[in-house]
Amino acid sequence: MNLSYFREFIVLADTSNYLEAAERLFIGQSTLSKHIMSMERELGVSLFERTSRKVTLTKFGKLLLPHARTIVQAQYDYTADLENELESMRGRVTVGTVAATAKYQITEVLAKYKRRYPNSSVRMIEGDPSDLIAQLKARRCDVIFAHLPDNSPEKAGLHGIRYCEDYLVGVFPNSHPLAKEKVLPLERLQDETFIALTENSVAHNLVLESCHRVGFSPNIAFLCNRIDSALDLVTKEMGIAILMEYQTVRPEDANFPDQAPFSVVELQPRVTAPVFLCYREDEELSPAAKRFVQSVQEEIADRA
């Protein structure tokens, strides 16, 4: 039986009207009627009771309806999976990444991959590490570059390759008494007012854990969704911030002069935050994603 007939049967059952069903399906009423009668002949039962104005399901039609919906959904799911697999075979790879991709040379990795595989297609998504992990697990990304909670891919249920290192630094208004220090013990910041990034982000949690480890809870006056907002508040002397070093790179869209009016100071003990290239452990990578991971591994080896 033609599988498209099941969809037509469902639409007719939902509308109870040949004219409305035919309009929804973009076919003629006579064509729809022929297809329904073809189904009935093949099944050997009547599916609809017909009147001059509407049609209603017979008991056999009611019996078929849930199975027809399952058949149509299965066909849709298979078609979607097939298209995704064909995209993978053609060379499509979706890469999730933290911001500041240029600083981490991630854009260079993407460019090298594209030059090596000119027929490939690369889609890049930027976001917070927590969002990227969720997107990877939901199969919206093939691989991600991200900081991980506890610096542990295994705890996140992922396979991870250590790509590069980052670390926490203190960010101060230039007028702050500690702004000229080269290195600061983290505990010296316990009486400061803090500007922090969004709660439950990897960076936010790392700052809290680091402060608790040396014996204090930071007094957070502002929570910001954007790094440039946090840096701008620092320059306005609303407090200090502890950020990953890459986050202190001058935001291109911020209203800062060429020399940003804040100071970055190294903290002790140094709290590192590696960036991992991650992918799911529970299923095999697509051919395109495998080639991408291999390219990243070669890049890491070249830098060693």
Side-chain angles (χ1 to χ4, degrees):
M1 186 179 297
N2 191 323
L3 290 180
S4 65
Y5 291 1
F6 286 103
R7 180 169 177 267
E8 295 173 9
F9 164 75
I10 292 168
V11 174
L12 182 56
D14 288 343
T15 60
S16 300
N17 184 282
Y18 269 98
L19 176 59
E20 185 177 349
E23 288 177 346
R24 287 192 188 183
L25 293 163
F26 300 101
I27 61 176
Q29 288 187 69
S30 60
T31 300
L32 175 59
S33 179
K34 288 177 183 177
H35 292 172
I36 296 300
M37 285 190 289
S38 175
M39 290 182 71
E40 291 176 326
R41 282 196 301 271
E42 190 164 343
L43 294 170
V45 295
S46 295
L47 299 174
F48 293 96
E49 293 177 355
R50 297 162 175 83
T51 66
S52 58
R53 292 189 176 183
K54 62 184 297 186
V55 293
T56 57
L57 288 169
T58 65
K59 65 178 181 179
F60 299 109
K62 292 177 182 178
L63 183 65
L64 175 63
L65 185 58
H67 299 291
R69 295 190 192 278
T70 299
I71 291 168
V72 169
Q73 185 62 48
Q75 183 186 28
Y76 173 83
D77 291 342
Y78 168 73
T79 302
D81 288 344
L82 178 63
E83 183 59 32
N84 288 337
E85 185 62 26
L86 289 173
E87 280 290 337
S88 296
M89 296 300 293
R90 294 183 194 117
R92 170 92 176 247
V93 58
T94 302
V95 181
T97 175
V98 293
T101 53
K103 175 179 163 76
Y104 286 146
Q105 298 183 316
I106 294 172
T107 46
E108 180 61 23
V109 169
L110 297 175
K112 285 183 178 179
Y113 174 78
K114 180 64 177 175
R115 286 194 289 268
R116 184 173 181 179
Y117 301 102
N119 294 325
S120 64
S121 172
V122 179
R123 179 170 176 251
M124 187 174 74
I125 301 173
E126 289 187 329
D128 177 83
S130 299
D131 294 332
L132 294 174
I133 293 169
Q135 296 224 44
L136 180 61
K137 290 185 175 180
R139 296 175 176 80
R140 297 190 188 98
C141 293
D142 296 300
V143 298
I144 61 172
F145 290 93
H147 306 283
L148 298 178
D150 302 317
N151 294 334
S152 173
E154 294 77 17
K155 288 186 179 180
L158 303 173
H159 182 79
I161 299 168
R162 206 177 188 96
Y163 173 72
C164 68
E165 299 285 335
D166 206 343
Y167 56 95
L168 293 182
V169 293
V171 186
F172 301 85
N174 284 338
S175 59
H176 194 285
L178 299 176
K180 303 304 181 185
E181 298 286 337
K182 298 295 184 183
V183 181
L184 272 172
L186 184 56
E187 56 265 29
R188 286 188 63 185
L189 305 183
Q190 59 184 328
D191 295 325
E192 299 289 339
T193 299
F194 282 79
I195 298 156
L197 297 180
T198 309
E199 289 179 297
N200 297 321
S201 66
V202 171
H204 181 93
N205 291 338
L206 187 59
V207 170
L208 291 184
E209 291 166 7
S210 301
C211 292
H212 292 163
R213 205 174 294 126
V214 297
F216 74 96
S217 295
N219 174 29
I220 298 174
F222 295 92
L223 283 171
C224 303
N225 289 324
R226 293 171 55 89
I227 295 168
D228 59 338
S229 298
L231 293 175
D232 198 32
L233 285 168
V234 170
T235 67
K236 289 178 169 56
E237 302 182 358
M238 293 293 101
I240 70 166
I242 298 177
L243 300 172
M244 293 184 189
E245 195 272 336
Y246 87 89
Q247 293 172 331
T248 65
V249 175
R250 178 180 175 272
E252 293 182 359
D253 59 348
N255 295 319
F256 291 154
D258 290 339
Q259 183 64 42
F262 55 79
S263 298
V264 178
V265 179
E266 185 175 342
L267 298 176
Q268 289 292 340
R270 173 171 281 201
V271 178
T272 59
V275 176
F276 291 89
L277 173 67
C278 301
Y279 50 92
R280 295 182 299 274
E281 285 187 324
D282 57 350
E283 59 186 61
E284 188 175 359
L285 287 168
S286 70
K290 283 182 180 178
R291 290 194 294 269
F292 183 81
V293 170
Q294 182 180 1
S295 295
V296 175
Q297 289 175 315
E298 291 171 0
E299 179 73 16
I300 294 170
D302 289 343
R303 293 202 308 253

